[in-house]
Amino acid sequence: MAKIWIRQAVLRALDDAMKDDPTVIMMGEDIAAAGGPFKVTEGLLAAHGPDRVIDTPISEMAFMGAAVGAAVCGMKPVVEMMFIEFIGVALDQLTTQAATMRYLSRGQLTAPLVVRASAGAGQGFGCQHSQMLDHWFRGTPGLKVAVTSNARTTYGLLRSAIEDPDPVVILEPRILYAEREEYEFDSSYRIPLGKAEIVRAGTDATIVTCGSMVRVALAAAESSKANIEVIDLLTLWPWDRKTVAESVGRTGRLVTLEEAPAGSGWGGDVVSHIAVEKFGSLKAPPHRITLPDAPVPYNGTLEARFLPSPAYVAEQVEALVSTNKSPAPWWRTAA
Amino acid sequence: MAKIWIRQAVLRALDDAMKDDPTVIMMGEDIAAAGGPFKVTEGLLAAHGPDRVIDTPISEMAFMGAAVGAAVCGMKPVVEMMFIEFIGVALDQLTTQAATMRYLSRGQLTAPLVVRASAGAGQGFGCQHSQMLDHWFRGTPGLKVAVTSNARTTYGLLRSAIEDPDPVVILEPRILYAEREEYEFDSSYRIPLGKAEIVRAGTDATIVTCGSMVRVALAAAESSKANIEVIDLLTLWPWDRKTVAESVGRTGRLVTLEEAPAGSGWGGDVVSHIAVEKFGSLKAPPHRITLPDAPVPYNGTLEARFLPSPAYVAEQVEALVSTNKSPAPWWRTAA
Amino acid sequence: MTISNSNSPIARREALQDRLEQLTRMVEIRAVEERIQKLFAEGHVRGSTHLANGQEAVSVGIARSIDPDDIVTCTYRGHGHALALGVTPAAVLGEICGRVIGCAGGLGGSMHLVEPSVGLLPTAAIIGAGLPIACGAAMAARARGNDRIAVSIFGDGSANIGAFHESLNFAAIRKLPVVFVCENNLYGEYTRIQLSTPVEDIAVRAGSYNMPSDIVDGQDSDKVAEAMAKAVARARRGEGPTLVEMKTYRYSGHSRSDPATYRPAGELDAWLKRDPIDILANRLVGENVLAEGGLDKLKADVRDAVEAATAEVLESPGPALDEIMSHVGAYSAGGDQRWNFWSK
Amino acid sequence: MTISNSNSPIARREALQDRLEQLTRMVEIRAVEERIQKLFAEGHVRGSTHLANGQEAVSVGIARSIDPDDIVTCTYRGHGHALALGVTPAAVLGEICGRVIGCAGGLGGSMHLVEPSVGLLPTAAIIGAGLPIACGAAMAARARGNDRIAVSIFGDGSANIGAFHESLNFAAIRKLPVVFVCENNLYGEYTRIQLSTPVEDIAVRAGSYNMPSDIVDGQDSDKVAEAMAKAVARARRGEGPTLVEMKTYRYSGHSRSDPATYRPAGELDAWLKRDPIDILANRLVGENVLAEGGLDKLKADVRDAVEAATAEVLESPGPALDEIMSHVGAYSAGGDQRWNFWSK
Ligand SMILES: Cc1ncc(C[n+]2csc(CCOP(=O)(O)OP(=O)(O)O)c2C)c(N)n1
Ligand SMILES: Cc1ncc(C[n+]2csc(CCOP(=O)(O)OP(=O)(O)O)c2C)c(N)n1
Ligand SMILES: [Mg+2]
Ligand SMILES: [Mg+2]
């Protein structure tokens, strides 16, 4: 097995998809000639040519909308939003146009496009370039949202997204791009959208998480006295209720670990569903570990505190397991 | 007490705010000379002049952003988004620029603007003009979101929003504009942002709702065998945890009634919070009544089914109260 | 006059090469718009609806100049365009009345007409949304090695939204086969163009993109067709997009209940004197295609046909309840029923 | 050369009326940019940072032409503008190093500089965001019955985003006192302007809004100031906005780690021959403001001052942990500490 950078998994997924399906095209700012601001599209232009790997002007609405039009007319556009915040100037095309295409044509037309975006915090990009923002998309009828967590899930989710007959958003935690890990490519490998994975078995509590927080949860579980099960949710919408419910059925405790403030995090929906499904059978209240309700700070010490660390997660889960009460987050007591 | 149209409550709030504070200005499409597409700004131009009541080109980014700039520089802009969907082309200015202004200046600058928008379904405007979309804003650090439900709450929330030192989104259920009700204006009346109201006392279950669903909940409660308490949440972010928790503490059952699909509704956050706070003391699982996960249909019969009716809500709550189990929504069984 | 009775959108579209049919279609559009107004009053129409009476020459002039294979995006003010492109009166009226017979089965409503077989994508209710989508359709055509083009129709007011600018720039830099058609009817909602737009001609904006443009008498369907033919040919030759501005006028207010009191006295009357139907009818008399006074008979015939379509619509049921959940994603659709633009 | 040592942004700004200080400030900007590059290599800078060396004449030319009361919005490529407007080297370097001494207390970082006392709103990291905000600032100035103006600075690549179009149209139709300054440095990230923009001069786009425009040699700070003075005067007279295009060039890549290999051979060298610092220095020698060879001494002095500021920054602590929650809303801020632009 070879070690690769996670950004190479993106590249490999895109390259393989373009080889397998001539209708796949890419659009984005500096993805072609420059190989991408994060080098995840390096070499695609040379391999597939300028008609399929397309540098766009700084016009998110134009190329997001062009992806909708191309998708409706039989192409498979993959759009890169360099930082997910940039879709703030073009959200309409995705959530209002692409997502309603099938409905407004009674199933005759669809917009099978993929929006890939780097997302999340941890590298000092400041508060306008460090959010996950999945809440802008999650729960939009007709749209799917998934988050990658390592090389394997990056490859598996991207391939599935590109093959999906409906629009899909793939959020790629930017901080992972420069991580190296062992990974053997298998070009037939797919992760079905809507399926979660148990990435660590445990008995005391289930942490449901996604993205770069999966590593944090695993590290917390390794170091913790509690025996923690970790689920990588992978697809945030529609999410895998069955896998989560079964796990929580076994462990009796649900913890969500979210890279988002509580007010917009996906954990609300997960907890609200499981609280119903497992009513009366949980050992402890469901518990959400989220970001504080504040913009992402630039300073490194602050940003490191802002994001849940393995130690903090372990501490929170241990408190939950040992007291069966929800521990308070650090920032209420801190302020 | 005089009967008024609810749209007049909007108008009165805006007019009074402009009289009381010379820095209040309005911007939007056809709000001035034409008096507004829904006639909620009729007469304001004549009363306050074209420098304060401003018709804009069809340029949501420009006037949303101009509101940010004017707010930072000491004005109190009130922006009308005719239909809340239109902010899909301008979201950045609100959630990324306005909401971070205070943070990025360490408290020296703020953007105390109000975005008012008509929202919601029920009148056959089709799926691109019928959503609530509060999930685009809710949980954004630095931004508040409230929903009006009648003449009184319209007046009280709008006045508070305009006086707030930070940016606020006010969603006005469009379907209410043409409702008439008894209402006595009191120009000093305010509803503090962040406070919910118990609008009907009951003992068997607490329905937490907002917007045009408040009427539905009240009608359901009237007709129901169950003794239902109804809370108008009013502010969706930050929401009033205390009032909801106390009510559920009394009734032992929580039902959220949301005009949104489950994946994006505010009920996830409410249920996840209350499930923790009231863990072990609830008589029944928390229950969410939401829209189906589908675009809003145009046809009247379908749209009426799509939206929770008083009869459906009563049926759901009665099932919850009598069985202490979560009843299934209609659409799973229907499809 | 039998052509109009065809129920096939493609046949209706192809028929537009016929001179008389061009006039007939304009008369049909007018009649359908008038019937919609009435249906609204009768309580059959929900939400809002945006008539385009007065702008019929633009619709028919465009439709006769492009192939059924070409892709069209347009706005909520799309009844006329849909009819011109080939959608039947019953499918248009049916959609507006929310019936199964409607082109979107009653799920979309007046702002969302659609007919893939003649290239009409779902009309968008968000200003500017159709322009980038047309760029994408043009990209698809080029990628398929095909000489299809895309046409995007929008209003003068829409020329102030960001998507207009981004789309024209995007299409120009990529030399996409798109024709941008601005229907300048002098108003965006209740606002006269001078109050929102500091230039008189939207066409000048093409200069920002080094793009050719044209200003056209939108009341004369032959002039519309002529300008379109030039722009379409240029696009098909791979030379890139054109911005074509149609000077036109809507006789009605912006939407159903708008009495249009914001218009200066005499303005409507002046435009009525250049009615697009009269202009073409007179010309067809000259061409010996239409008998002197034949317009009245034509109008009566069309009105009867529209009345028949209306009756059919009003007998059509609404969509079944399970339609609510049936077209959200592939999972809900019971198999892939997608239109393949490339199967022809 | 004592002027630069002032720690008051306002005093620094007012000092820019002095000829020698104009040169000194350009030298300072260059020195700060170079120091940032080094701080980056030394591991003191997180995220990304966007240098503007080569563009100093634009920054200083703008800053000397407007009042400290005027409002400025600009982008992440804002170090030079911030320094020119009066923000101190320590406040700029401090922000970029995430220290309390930074102009946003280390919460914002390189892309988010701010200084209300000289009219600098937080620089925006989203392309196009600053243009409509400047329109709003101009509206506020007019509403206050004040002759302040707003300036919005953005790049050539940003002229393709929707907000550019909407803002210029909005400002033109309302005759707002705004000056739109496009720094055309020929690249947007790694993309040469010809590949994204079908016109050579962004200035031609003013025609879409019936707005005057100007094309300026951005390497000559006097030419920049001259063009700005005209546009500013027009704005103050209430005659509306102007689009001013500065032809300039960034010597570095787009951001920290970009080696800028996409540039044609010789291009950088050609621009280096018209270095803005040299151009002004030579002129000041002619004006007897600077001694022959005085530039070297000036550079050394400024470098020392920047080194001192850097030392101060590196001794400054990072923000306290509770700063995370202290500036989210009024409720978290412990009282209203807001800047009042109108108290002066
Ligand atoms: C983004 C957005 N903003 C505003 C509207 C509301 N709106 C609908 S039609 C219209 C006027 C459009 O004018 P124009 O482009 O001239 O087209 P016309 O209606 O005259 O055909 C407006 C502002 C919208 N649908 N979408
Ligand atoms: C909406 C949005 N899209 C893309 C980006 C990424 N981005 C940052 S700088 C830049 C290039 C801008 O070029 P230009 O306007 O010429 O300014 P310059 O950097 O040359 O000063 C891009 C594409 C962004 N910040 N915001
Ligand atoms: Mg118009
Ligand atoms: Mg540039």
Side-chain angles (χ1 to χ4, degrees):
Chain A
M1 224 166 8
K3 276 216 170 194
I4 62 154
W5 305 105
I6 294 183
R7 74 160 71 88
Q8 292 178 282
V10 179
L11 179 59
R12 189 66 188 266
L14 299 176
D15 191 36
D16 287 353
M18 295 193 88
K19 279 185 197 133
D20 287 0
D21 181 351
T23 67
V24 174
I25 57 170
M26 311 267 166
M27 279 190 275
E29 290 154 8
D30 292 305
I31 61 157
F38 308 111
K39 303 285 168 230
V40 301
T41 51
E42 203 148 43
L44 292 181
L45 174 64
H48 305 286
D51 286 340
R52 295 185 66 196
V53 185
I54 298 166
D55 276 333
T56 66
I58 309 174
S59 309
E60 276 76 7
M61 244 181 304
F63 67 81
M64 186 65 241
V68 177
V72 175
C73 294
M75 306 302 287
K76 287 270 192 176
V78 180
V79 161
E80 173 169 303
M81 287 284 153
M82 197 185 305
F83 289 76
I84 190 60
E85 278 87 352
F86 303 168
I87 207 170
V89 300
L91 192 63
D92 173 70
Q93 283 293 344
L94 180 63
T95 61
T96 313
Q97 308 305 325
T100 61
M101 196 56 77
R102 183 185 286 270
Y103 188 82
L104 288 178
S105 61
R106 287 194 70 246
Q108 293 181 86
L109 304 173
T110 68
L113 57 89
V114 176
V115 175
R116 300 177 35 245
S118 86
Q123 297 167 300
F125 279 104
C127 70
Q128 298 187 347
H129 277 61
S130 297
Q131 302 168 86
M132 291 299 290
L133 297 181
D134 52 87
H135 68 286
W136 285 358
F137 320 111
R138 214 178 346 103
T140 305
L143 193 62
K144 300 187 183 75
V145 189
V147 186
T148 63
S149 54
N150 56 35
R152 180 181 58 80
T153 58
T154 297
Y155 191 89
L157 287 172
L158 267 173
R159 294 299 311 261
S160 293
I162 295 173
E163 288 164 4
D164 200 88
D166 288 300
V168 182
V169 178
I170 300 283
L171 299 174
E172 302 167 0
R174 188 178 313 107
I175 199 169
L176 297 180
Y177 285 150
E179 296 280 316
R180 287 189 80 184
E181 61 181 47
E182 304 255 295
Y183 176 59
E184 184 120 45
F185 284 112
D186 165 3
S187 66
S188 68
Y189 183 71
R190 302 286 184 274
I191 296 177
L193 296 175
K195 287 293 291 173
E197 287 180 0
I198 297 173
V199 291
R200 185 185 198 276
T203 51
D204 292 339
T206 300
I207 298 185
V208 179
T209 188
C210 70
S212 74
M213 288 294 123
V214 174
R215 301 185 307 168
V216 174
L218 288 173
E222 282 317 316
S223 73
S224 173
K225 293 187 291 279
N227 190 341
I228 301 175
E229 180 144 316
V230 178
I231 292 182
D232 184 347
L233 199 53
L234 294 166
T235 306
L236 296 187
W237 189 258
W239 60 277
D240 184 352
R241 298 174 173 217
K242 189 156 163 290
T243 298
V244 174
E246 282 172 7
S247 168
V248 176
R250 286 191 303 274
T251 63
R253 296 184 187 88
L254 168 64
V255 176
T256 61
L257 173 56
E258 307 163 52
E259 190 179 331
S264 61
W266 47 264
D269 193 41
V270 170
V271 166
S272 74
H273 183 78
I274 298 299
V276 172
E277 183 131 343
K278 295 293 159 193
F279 183 71
S281 70
L282 293 177
K283 294 177 197 152
H287 181 58
R288 295 178 65 191
I289 303 176
T290 68
L291 303 183
D293 182 37
V296 182
Y298 168 69
N299 170 278
T301 311
L302 266 59
E303 194 180 21
R305 187 71 192 99
F306 188 81
L307 290 168
S309 66
Y312 175 65
V313 171
E315 187 188 299
Q316 290 261 308
V317 178
E318 281 166 24
L320 184 77
V321 169
S322 61
T323 66
N324 283 335
K325 294 212 175 85
S326 244
W330 62 264
W331 61 86
R332 280 215 194 111
T333 44
Chain B
M1 233 176 352
K3 276 218 173 195
I4 62 154
W5 306 104
I6 293 183
R7 75 160 68 90
Q8 294 178 282
V10 179
L11 179 59
R12 188 67 190 266
L14 298 176
D15 192 35
D16 287 354
M18 295 193 88
K19 280 186 197 135
D20 287 359
D21 180 352
T23 67
V24 175
I25 58 170
M26 312 266 166
M27 279 191 275
E29 290 155 7
D30 291 307
I31 62 158
F38 308 111
K39 304 283 169 234
V40 301
T41 49
E42 203 148 44
L44 292 181
L45 174 64
H48 305 286
D51 287 336
R52 296 184 66 195
V53 185
I54 299 166
D55 276 333
T56 68
I58 310 175
S59 309
E60 277 76 7
M61 243 179 307
F63 67 80
M64 187 64 240
V68 177
V72 174
C73 295
M75 307 300 289
K76 289 272 193 174
V78 180
V79 160
E80 173 167 301
M81 285 286 152
M82 197 185 306
F83 288 75
I84 190 61
E85 279 87 351
F86 302 168
I87 206 169
V89 300
L91 192 62
D92 173 71
Q93 282 294 343
L94 179 62
T95 63
T96 312
Q97 307 307 325
T100 61
M101 197 55 78
R102 183 186 286 270
Y103 188 80
L104 288 177
S105 62
R106 289 193 71 245
Q108 291 180 87
L109 303 174
T110 68
L113 57 87
V114 176
V115 175
R116 302 176 33 246
S118 85
Q123 297 167 300
F125 278 104
C127 70
Q128 298 186 347
H129 277 61
S130 297
Q131 304 166 85
M132 290 299 288
L133 297 181
D134 50 87
H135 67 287
W136 285 356
F137 321 110
R138 217 183 338 108
T140 304
L143 193 62
K144 300 187 182 76
V145 189
V147 186
T148 63
S149 54
N150 56 35
R152 181 181 58 81
T153 59
T154 297
Y155 190 87
L157 287 173
L158 267 174
R159 294 295 315 259
S160 292
I162 296 173
E163 287 165 2
D164 199 86
D166 288 300
V168 182
V169 177
I170 299 284
L171 299 174
E172 301 166 2
R174 188 178 314 108
I175 199 169
L176 298 181
Y177 286 150
E179 296 280 315
R180 287 190 81 185
E181 60 183 45
E182 304 256 293
Y183 175 58
E184 181 120 46
F185 285 112
D186 165 4
S187 65
S188 68
Y189 184 71
R190 304 286 183 277
I191 297 178
L193 296 175
K195 287 295 289 172
E197 286 180 1
I198 298 172
V199 290
R200 185 184 196 277
T203 52
D204 293 337
T206 301
I207 298 184
V208 180
T209 189
C210 70
S212 74
M213 288 294 124
V214 173
R215 300 185 306 170
V216 174
L218 287 173
E222 282 317 316
S223 72
S224 173
K225 292 188 290 282
N227 189 343
I228 301 175
E229 180 143 318
V230 177
I231 292 182
D232 185 347
L233 199 52
L234 294 165
T235 305
L236 296 186
W237 189 258
W239 58 277
D240 184 352
R241 299 174 171 215
K242 188 156 166 286
T243 297
V244 175
E246 282 172 5
S247 168
V248 176
R250 285 189 303 273
T251 62
R253 295 183 187 89
L254 168 65
V255 176
T256 62
L257 173 56
E258 307 163 52
E259 189 178 331
S264 61
W266 47 264
D269 193 42
V270 170
V271 166
S272 74
H273 183 78
I274 298 299
V276 173
E277 182 132 344
K278 294 293 159 194
F279 183 71
S281 71
L282 294 177
K283 294 176 195 153
H287 181 59
R288 295 178 63 191
I289 303 175
T290 69
L291 303 183
D293 183 36
V296 182
Y298 167 69
N299 169 278
T301 311
L302 267 58
E303 194 181 21
R305 185 74 192 95
F306 189 81
L307 291 168
S309 66
Y312 176 65
V313 172
E315 189 187 299
Q316 289 262 309
V317 178
E318 278 165 24
L320 184 77
V321 169
S322 61
T323 66
N324 283 336
K325 293 210 176 87
S326 243
W330 63 263
W331 62 87
R332 283 216 192 106
T333 44
Chain C
M1 237 93 61
T2 50
I3 310 173
S4 276
N5 292 332
S6 167
N7 274 326
S8 150
I10 288 265
R12 277 171 51 82
R13 174 69 160 280
E14 281 161 0
L16 267 196
Q17 296 312 316
D18 181 83
R19 279 307 255 170
L20 188 57
E21 181 64 19
Q22 291 164 10
L23 179 66
T24 309
R25 194 66 56 86
M26 283 166 56
V27 170
E28 178 187 277
I29 294 172
R30 179 78 52 90
V32 168
E33 295 287 48
E34 279 163 7
R35 196 61 185 87
I36 291 169
Q37 189 90 306
K38 209 165 143 225
L39 282 163
F40 201 94
E42 292 163 2
H44 293 293
V45 184
R46 310 184 68 231
S48 195
T49 193
H50 307 81
L51 308 185
N53 41 4
Q55 306 186 190
E56 296 85 355
V58 178
S59 298
V60 170
I62 294 172
R64 60 186 254 214
S65 312
I66 60 176
D67 293 345
D69 275 354
D70 296 324
I71 306 291
V72 179
T73 70
C74 88
T75 68
Y76 51 86
R77 197 176 306 285
H79 311 157
H81 300 306
L83 291 164
L85 291 169
V87 188
T88 63
V92 169
L93 289 162
E95 193 53 40
I96 293 169
C97 292
R99 309 301 170 107
V100 158
I101 201 177
C103 53
L107 298 177
S110 160
M111 297 201 278
H112 302 295
L113 306 178
V114 60
E115 184 49 65
S117 71
V118 289
L120 180 63
L121 300 191
T123 59
I126 305 293
I127 294 290
L131 285 87
I133 294 177
C135 293
M139 290 173 73
R142 179 187 290 168
R144 297 281 187 161
N146 192 293
D147 74 346
R148 290 182 197 177
I149 62 146
V151 175
S152 186
I153 310 172
F154 53 90
D156 48 296
S158 309
N160 292 330
I161 204 148
F164 166 88
H165 172 64
E166 295 193 6
S167 301
L168 267 72
N169 187 68
F170 186 79
I173 198 78
R174 297 200 63 73
K175 284 191 182 301
L176 294 177
V178 189
V179 181
F180 296 101
V181 179
C182 179
E183 293 188 276
N184 186 344
N185 62 10
L186 301 182
Y187 293 86
E189 287 195 355
Y190 320 116
T191 298
R192 199 172 171 71
I193 182 167
Q194 287 88 335
L195 301 175
S196 66
T197 311
V199 290
E200 192 184 331
D201 300 321
I202 301 299
V204 305
R205 294 188 167 175
S208 285
Y209 320 101
N210 203 10
M211 188 189 292
S213 66
D214 212 343
I215 297 179
V216 182
D217 174 1
Q219 304 313 88
D220 184 333
S221 67
D222 291 330
K223 296 247 173 74
V224 170
E226 201 181 301
M228 284 300 297
K230 232 177 78 189
V232 167
R234 179 172 142 57
R236 286 206 212 285
R237 284 194 310 268
E239 292 169 15
T242 304
L243 173 61
V244 185
E245 176 175 4
M246 310 289 183
K247 302 286 192 186
T248 185
Y249 198 77
R250 60 165 155 75
Y251 295 163
S252 304
H254 163 68
S255 62
R256 52 163 168 123
S257 50
D258 167 23
T261 47
Y262 44 80
R263 304 198 285 208
E267 185 179 78
L268 173 61
D269 289 337
W271 281 92
L272 283 168
K273 289 203 187 99
R274 297 202 65 248
D275 184 77
I277 293 174
D278 292 341
I279 289 174
L280 184 60
N282 288 338
R283 191 169 303 145
L284 293 192
V285 170
E287 291 174 18
N288 288 323
V289 172
L290 185 72
E292 197 83 50
L295 181 59
D296 287 341
K297 165 92 171 64
L298 183 66
K299 282 184 176 170
D301 287 351
V302 168
R303 213 174 294 127
D304 287 349
V306 169
E307 217 42 65
T310 305
E312 199 186 348
V313 162
L314 294 179
E315 269 159 35
S316 167
L321 277 185
D322 66 9
E323 286 282 288
I324 291 176
M325 303 302 290
S326 298
H327 310 287
V328 183
Y331 59 89
S332 62
D336 202 331
Q337 308 156 7
R338 271 182 290 162
W339 180 262
N340 182 348
F341 282 109
W342 313 100
S343 64
K344 291 188 263 183
Chain D
M1 237 94 58
T2 49
I3 310 172
S4 275
N5 291 330
S6 167
N7 274 324
S8 149
I10 288 264
R12 277 170 54 81
R13 175 68 160 282
E14 281 163 358
L16 267 195
Q17 294 314 315
D18 181 81
R19 279 307 255 168
L20 188 58
E21 181 64 19
Q22 291 164 10
L23 179 65
T24 309
R25 193 65 57 85
M26 282 165 57
V27 172
E28 178 188 278
I29 294 172
R30 180 76 53 89
V32 168
E33 295 288 47
E34 280 163 8
R35 197 59 187 88
I36 291 169
Q37 190 92 307
K38 210 166 143 224
L39 282 164
F40 201 94
E42 292 163 1
H44 293 294
V45 184
R46 310 183 71 231
S48 195
T49 190
H50 308 81
L51 306 185
N53 41 2
Q55 305 185 193
E56 295 86 353
V58 178
S59 299
V60 171
I62 294 172
R64 61 186 253 214
S65 313
I66 59 176
D67 294 344
D69 275 354
D70 295 325
I71 305 291
V72 178
T73 70
C74 89
T75 70
Y76 51 86
R77 199 177 303 286
H79 310 158
H81 299 307
L83 291 164
L85 290 170
V87 188
T88 64
V92 169
L93 290 161
E95 193 53 40
I96 292 170
C97 292
R99 309 300 170 106
V100 158
I101 201 176
C103 55
L107 298 177
S110 161
M111 297 202 279
H112 301 296
L113 305 178
V114 60
E115 182 50 63
S117 71
V118 290
L120 179 63
L121 300 190
T123 60
I126 305 293
I127 294 289
L131 285 85
I133 295 177
C135 293
M139 290 173 74
R142 179 186 290 166
R144 296 284 188 158
N146 192 294
D147 73 347
R148 288 183 197 177
I149 62 145
V151 174
S152 185
I153 310 172
F154 53 91
D156 48 297
S158 309
N160 291 330
I161 203 146
F164 166 87
H165 173 65
E166 294 192 7
S167 300
L168 267 70
N169 187 68
F170 187 79
I173 199 78
R174 296 199 64 73
K175 285 193 183 299
L176 293 177
V178 189
V179 181
F180 295 103
V181 179
C182 180
E183 292 188 278
N184 186 345
N185 60 10
L186 300 182
Y187 292 87
E189 287 196 355
Y190 321 115
T191 298
R192 201 173 169 70
I193 182 167
Q194 287 89 335
L195 301 174
S196 66
T197 312
V199 290
E200 192 185 330
D201 300 321
I202 301 299
V204 305
R205 295 187 167 175
S208 284
Y209 319 102
N210 203 10
M211 188 190 293
S213 66
D214 212 341
I215 298 180
V216 182
D217 174 1
Q219 304 313 87
D220 185 333
S221 67
D222 291 332
K223 296 247 175 73
V224 170
E226 201 181 304
M228 284 300 297
K230 232 176 81 190
V232 167
R234 180 173 136 77
R236 286 206 211 285
R237 284 196 308 269
E239 290 169 18
T242 305
L243 173 61
V244 184
E245 176 176 4
M246 310 291 182
K247 302 286 191 186
T248 184
Y249 197 75
R250 60 165 153 76
Y251 295 162
S252 304
H254 164 67
S255 61
R256 50 169 172 120
S257 50
D258 167 24
T261 49
Y262 43 80
R263 302 196 286 209
E267 186 179 80
L268 174 60
D269 289 338
W271 281 92
L272 283 168
K273 289 202 187 99
R274 296 202 68 247
D275 185 77
I277 292 175
D278 293 341
I279 288 174
L280 184 59
N282 289 337
R283 191 170 302 145
L284 293 192
V285 171
E287 289 175 15
N288 287 323
V289 170
L290 184 71
E292 195 85 46
L295 180 58
D296 288 341
K297 167 90 173 68
L298 182 67
K299 282 183 177 170
D301 287 351
V302 167
R303 213 174 294 127
D304 288 348
V306 169
E307 218 42 64
T310 306
E312 200 188 349
V313 162
L314 294 180
E315 269 159 37
S316 167
L321 278 184
D322 65 7
E323 286 282 287
I324 292 176
M325 303 301 289
S326 299
H327 310 287
V328 183
Y331 58 90
S332 62
D336 203 331
Q337 306 155 6
R338 272 182 290 162
W339 181 263
N340 182 347
F341 282 109
W342 312 100
S343 63
K344 292 189 265 186

